[in-house]
Amino acid sequence: MEGYSDRENNDLEIDDDKEHSVSMLREPFLVRNRKNNTSQIAIVGANTCPIESLDYEIAENELFKQDWRSRKKAEIFQYVVLKWTLALLIGLGTGLVGFFNNLAIENIAGFKLLVTNNLMLKDKYFQAFATYAGCNVVLAIAAAALCAYVAPAAAGSGIPEVKAYLNGVDAPSILAPATLFVKIFGSIFGVAAGFVVGKEGPMVHTGACIASFLGQGGSRKYHLTWKWLRYFKNDRDRRDLVTCGAAAGVAAAFRAPVGGVLFALEEAASWWRSALLWRTFFTTAVVAVVLRSLIEFCRTGKCGLFGQGGLIMFDVNSTKATYSTPDLLAVMFLGVIGGVFGSFYNYCVDKVLRTYSIINERGPSFKILLVIVISLLTSCCSYGLPWLSQCIPCPPNLAEQCPTESRSGNFKNFQCPPNHYNNLASLFFNTNDDAIRILFTSGSENEFHLSALLVFFVAIFCLGIVTYGIAVPAGLFIPVILAGASYGRLVGTLLGPLSNLDVGLFALLGAASFLGGTMRMTVSLCVILLELTNDLLMLPLMMLVLLISKSVADIFNKGVYDQILKIKGLPYMETHAEPYMRHLIASDVVSGPLVSFSGVEKVGNILHVLRVTRHNGFPVINEPPYSDAPELCGLVLRYHLLVLLEGKKFTKQRVKIGSDIVRGFKANDFAKAGSGKGVKLEDLEITEEEMEMYIDLHPIANTSPYTVVESMSLAKAAVLFRQLGLRHLCVVSKTPGRPPIVGILTRHDFTPEHVLGLYPHITPHK
């Protein structure tokens, strides 16, 4: 049945001769000749790739049981120690990459801004713009070329892809070493180019890539093999390591170790357990220690232009710990605004991504051309809009210099006379991190005019939308925080006579409201922002604004990452089942034809089925004389069949030789290949004589696959499938005397497109 193919269902359109051969197998068990015609490809980068599922379930076959029985205490101890060692290495690697990213961005962007500022001080405004825009375009082309030609999967945030992987979706190249390389350097070039993007989303993807690389279990391709690493040649352990990597990415981006753990728990991971909580906490703690040590080193002035930007906390401590009724009403108003703006932002991002996909599909040159256009647009806005702002006299008795002479600071001179500053230039002519810090600054009520805040909000809102989707690594956190902080400060300035809260705190709450309305996270965002700003007194107001903004935004659409998953075509399984699934049973959606094997099967039949189908799991049925009546022996995986065929443990007679196979193979032989080369069908060399021989499948069959009766509701089966992290779910017959298995459900059989395609009269609830 095509439900368990995990691939294109049209691949089972076999010609008459082949179909006759398949019928010689176990086709009496065919219940329905129904094809699953839903799309099983997704957009990775700008290419459409076939999507499969990951094997998170442990195949409890004879070889696996023998392997665990023979494992010594020393080997089990090695396995546990290696897990913690890899968690340590993931933390160290992600922390170092996070610091390197910030160091490079601060120095490249700082040099660009210094050169432009020096030209403006000499009244060479056209040369300054040419230099500024030229540097931005060169950096943008470098980032786009890496994404277009080396690793298209590195474009964008990367968080949706990591979410899909941890949900069980195996999309090609999303965690490959080339993607890691491009994600690091592409993010540096893209952020330094002045795009309204962040490095925080790419850091999550980077941490996941580092974890995946370390958890490959060795690689024959790159001659990196070590016998201890064989323990990690399975999707289950890789999933745990990638979860640690995602948490480490958030910790490295925001210096928020606890927020990183909660992000992995709330947003990234689909399965969680207490052991994983400890390991992710350890990983993020390592990241925090690494960053703290390196930042202390940079305070000695040995890191070039690494100033107040990047990894330094936004210190907005407030001595006010009480809130009045007008303050709470103002915060609730901010939450409503954030929910409305956040849902509208998601709507616009959805439309822009669908438009850009048409352009990006035309090839790398069109990707780079689109990046150049957006880069020039961003440069024109950043350089041109401050000219609309009036020069403001420097406030007296300032602790810092005004106007700012260095590349970072709150008071940019731009084109103003001495002792004056341009408040729009202070926001536009800084790195994104510095702009956020300026907006969060407390005790600066009159620093920005309302018109400047309004212009900045509109510009950042629009530029953030049109920038996401181009071929550069681009995070959404920073654009959303910038836009939210600007309208939060605007509301705080307007409500100044009514509220006692500082405008810097309004900016922080505005950023929280926009983040909640866009990303629909609550607990993790609350902790990240509190760790980011070191202001625990804001906890009650932060919780209130996040709850309101998420509730308001949920009325209109889904979170931005959920929308991107849908656009890309990644078959993500939600925690809950759709309401219409309660009215269907499991057997209503299984598709066919069902192809199964006998416990002892002819080699030619196996080879033929592997060639004409793209199934990844096959039921193994025992029949007389091996059993009194047909019974389900287990489930055998495609890759295990390939390894067994390569070993050529064949017999001329149809007999069981399970003990010989157990002695001739090790459990590690059937481990899933990492970045190394696994066994492929075209590599098998089977002679005509061997095609007529038999092979015993009992030792490699998973004798305890998860099964449900055919009368189970589809909603219940979907929840079971998702919570257990399955790839195949066997649907067995409820009535005695019928074939033992009705079909097999996979991820694609639970998709709304498939279910509603079979039953178009069902109206899904929105």
Side-chain angles (χ1 to χ4, degrees):
M1 45 80 50
E2 195 43 40
Y4 61 92
S5 72
D6 249 348
R7 285 288 198 155
E8 285 282 354
N9 293 278
N10 295 332
D11 292 332
L12 268 187
E13 293 177 359
I14 312 165
D15 58 42
D16 293 338
D17 293 336
K18 291 179 179 178
E19 200 161 322
H20 175 70
S21 299
V22 174
S23 67
M24 293 173 63
L25 300 178
R26 305 279 75 78
E27 209 169 273
F29 304 107
L30 171 62
V31 175
R32 286 178 173 84
N33 192 10
R34 176 195 291 150
K35 300 271 180 72
N36 184 335
N37 294 313
T38 58
S39 174
Q40 296 177 7
I41 57 175
I43 300 173
V44 179
N47 304 318
T48 53
C49 303
I51 294 299
E52 296 185 8
S53 295
L54 294 164
D55 291 302
Y56 289 155
E57 181 188 358
I58 294 176
E60 293 185 344
N61 52 36
E62 288 299 321
L63 284 160
F64 171 81
K65 294 174 184 176
Q66 186 64 29
D67 178 59
W68 274 98
R69 286 193 200 104
S70 61
R71 230 175 243 193
K72 300 175 183 176
K73 288 185 178 180
E75 291 179 309
I76 296 174
F77 178 74
Q78 289 171 2
Y79 171 70
V80 175
V81 169
L82 268 177
K83 270 191 172 182
W84 287 97
T85 304
L86 287 175
L88 172 67
L89 293 176
I90 291 166
L92 287 172
T94 309
L96 289 171
V97 169
F99 177 77
F100 171 71
N101 271 18
N102 279 272
L103 186 65
I105 290 167
E106 293 282 310
N107 279 280
I108 295 172
F111 177 77
K112 175 189 68 178
L113 292 171
L114 272 178
V115 171
T116 306
N117 191 52
N118 291 336
L119 288 171
M120 294 191 72
L121 290 174
K122 299 175 184 178
D123 296 335
K124 297 179 179 179
Y125 299 119
F126 289 106
Q127 290 183 26
F129 174 70
T131 302
Y132 179 71
C135 289
N136 286 345
V137 168
V138 170
L139 291 168
I141 290 174
L146 285 172
C147 284
Y149 292 105
V150 181
S157 168
I159 292 179
E161 286 84 353
V162 173
K163 277 190 65 174
Y165 180 88
L166 294 176
N167 190 257
V169 178
D170 188 13
S173 304
I174 60 171
L175 299 177
T179 304
L180 172 62
F181 173 81
V182 174
K183 206 74 182 183
I184 295 172
F185 291 97
S187 179
I188 291 171
F189 295 144
V191 176
F195 284 121
V196 184
V197 298
K199 55 187 176 296
E200 285 68 22
M203 270 307 304
V204 174
H205 196 178
T206 299
C209 288
I210 291 172
S212 177
F213 178 74
L214 291 174
Q216 287 295 318
S219 171
R220 290 177 230 163
K221 181 179 179 182
Y222 298 108
H223 305 290
L224 299 172
T225 54
W226 189 27
K227 68 174 185 177
W228 284 9
L229 292 176
R230 71 182 186 274
Y231 299 141
F232 296 92
K233 281 187 173 294
N234 63 83
D235 289 331
R236 195 184 188 91
D237 283 321
R238 288 177 198 160
R239 174 192 68 193
D240 291 351
L241 292 175
V242 170
T243 304
C244 292
V250 174
F254 292 110
R255 275 181 65 197
V258 179
V261 175
L262 292 175
F263 173 84
L265 171 61
E266 182 180 6
E267 183 68 11
S270 293
W271 299 284
W272 198 261
R273 51 200 176 91
S274 58
L276 190 56
L277 178 68
W278 280 97
R279 206 166 293 119
T280 51
F281 187 71
F282 171 71
T283 307
T284 56
V286 171
V287 173
V289 171
V290 169
L291 292 180
R292 173 64 68 180
S293 304
L294 292 173
I295 288 171
E296 290 298 326
F297 171 77
C298 278
R299 284 180 179 169
T300 61
K302 297 179 181 179
C303 296
L305 295 172
F306 189 92
Q308 293 293 314
L311 295 162
I312 312 299
M313 285 186 181
F314 305 130
D315 195 357
V316 292
N317 280 316
S318 171
T319 56
K320 184 175 178 60
T322 57
Y323 320 110
S324 62
T325 301
D327 294 335
L328 293 176
L329 292 175
V331 170
M332 294 171 68
F333 177 63
L334 263 184
V336 174
I337 292 177
V340 173
F341 278 155
S343 58
F344 180 64
Y345 190 88
N346 292 358
Y347 172 80
C348 294
V349 166
D350 181 88
K351 298 302 179 186
V352 168
L353 282 176
R354 294 181 187 277
T355 304
Y356 283 177
S357 65
I358 300 171
I359 300 173
N360 290 334
E361 284 174 359
R362 303 187 68 177
S365 57
F366 283 87
K367 292 183 186 180
I368 296 174
L369 183 62
L370 178 61
V371 169
I372 293 172
V373 170
I374 300 299
S375 176
L376 290 173
L377 174 64
T378 305
S379 299
C380 290
C381 290
S382 301
Y383 189 87
L385 290 176
W387 290 89
L388 303 176
S389 178
Q390 295 179 350
C391 294
I392 303 173
C394 289
N397 303 321
L398 275 178
E400 61 180 297
Q401 192 175 29
C402 179
T404 304
E405 289 186 358
S406 63
R407 69 135 193 97
S408 64
N410 288 25
F411 305 98
K412 287 288 185 178
N413 180 262
F414 206 65
Q415 88 290 8
C416 294
N419 297 321
H420 288 71
Y421 72 97
N422 186 316
N423 59 352
L424 257 182
S426 299
L427 296 174
F428 277 115
F429 242 59
N430 260 317
T431 60
N432 293 334
D433 289 342
D434 280 327
I436 293 172
R437 180 176 295 99
I438 294 168
L439 289 168
F440 282 0
T441 302
S442 301
S444 54
E445 286 79 4
N446 301 317
E447 188 173 321
F448 297 97
H449 287 170
L450 292 176
S451 58
L453 292 171
L454 181 61
V455 169
F456 184 72
F457 166 68
V458 173
I460 292 298
F461 189 92
C462 297
L463 287 174
I465 291 169
V466 300
T467 304
Y468 194 83
I470 61 176
V472 295
L476 283 168
F477 274 96
I478 291 299
V480 170
I481 291 175
L482 271 174
S486 56
Y487 78 66
R489 195 178 182 97
L490 178 64
V491 171
T493 305
L494 289 172
L495 298 180
L498 303 175
S499 175
N500 295 322
L501 293 179
D502 188 89
V503 290
L505 300 181
F506 267 105
L508 173 61
L509 293 171
S513 70
F514 203 6
L515 282 168
T518 306
M519 303 185 181
R520 315 294 162 83
M521 292 182 281
T522 51
V523 179
S524 55
L525 276 181
C526 184
V527 174
I528 287 171
L529 287 170
L530 291 176
E531 289 185 285
L532 193 66
T533 56
N534 196 24
D535 192 2
L536 279 173
L537 297 176
M538 296 301 295
L539 179 61
L541 296 183
M542 192 83 71
M543 294 171 69
L544 178 64
V545 77
L546 282 168
L547 287 170
I548 293 175
S549 62
K550 182 187 184 304
S551 301
V552 171
D554 280 339
I555 298 172
F556 300 101
N557 51 29
K558 289 188 175 183
V560 65
Y561 296 134
D562 293 323
Q563 289 188 172
I564 295 169
L565 282 169
K566 186 175 181 180
I567 293 171
K568 288 180 174 289
L570 295 166
Y572 185 86
M573 287 200 71
E574 299 289 349
T575 310
H576 59 277
E578 296 293 337
Y580 59 81
M581 290 185 175
R582 300 193 191 103
H583 306 293
L584 299 171
I585 60 175
S587 62
D588 287 337
V589 298
V590 292
S591 45
L594 172 64
V595 180
S596 59
F597 294 128
S598 288
V600 181
E601 187 59 80
K602 184 180 285 188
V603 173
N605 287 343
I606 297 175
L607 203 60
H608 174 69
V609 168
L610 294 179
R611 284 172 178 164
V612 300
T613 71
R614 299 177 74 179
H615 297 340
N616 285 284
F618 301 89
V620 177
I621 308 295
N622 267 344
E623 294 178 309
Y626 304 111
S627 63
D628 295 333
E631 64 178 14
L632 178 63
C633 172
L635 192 74
V636 64
L637 299 179
R638 183 185 190 90
Y639 183 73
H640 291 180
L641 285 172
L642 292 173
V643 174
L644 193 62
L645 289 172
E646 187 185 43
K648 295 192 175 183
K649 296 288 183 181
F650 306 147
T651 58
K652 292 185 178 180
Q653 304 298 323
R654 194 174 182 182
V655 294
K656 283 186 176 183
I657 57 164
S659 57
D660 293 338
I661 292 177
V662 170
R663 287 193 297 268
F665 287 97
K666 296 179 181 178
N668 187 51
D669 296 332
F670 294 88
K672 188 170 182 178
S675 59
K677 182 182 178 183
V679 182
K680 296 181 179 179
L681 182 61
E682 52 268 24
D683 297 334
L684 297 178
E685 296 179 358
I686 307 294
T687 64
E688 290 295 328
E689 182 182 356
E690 290 171 333
M691 296 278 277
E692 298 300 319
M693 299 176 75
Y694 294 88
I695 191 165
D696 187 3
L697 302 182
H698 291 94
I700 65 166
N702 179 8
T703 55
S704 55
Y706 285 98
T707 60
V708 296
V709 294
E710 57 183 333
S711 58
M712 178 181 282
S713 73
L714 189 61
K716 198 172 181 180
V719 171
L720 178 72
F721 189 94
R722 203 264 193 189
Q723 290 184 346
L724 293 175
L726 302 180
R727 184 175 188 176
H728 306 100
L729 182 61
C730 299
V731 181
V732 296
S733 175
K734 189 177 181 181
T735 309
R738 291 180 57 198
I741 182 166
V742 175
I744 300 181
L745 293 172
T746 64
R747 174 179 303 270
H748 296 287
D749 293 309
F750 292 105
T751 57
E753 293 81 7
H754 173 60
V755 179
L756 297 177
L758 293 176
Y759 303 98
H761 62 279
I762 295 178
T763 304
H765 297 281
K766 294 186 179 180

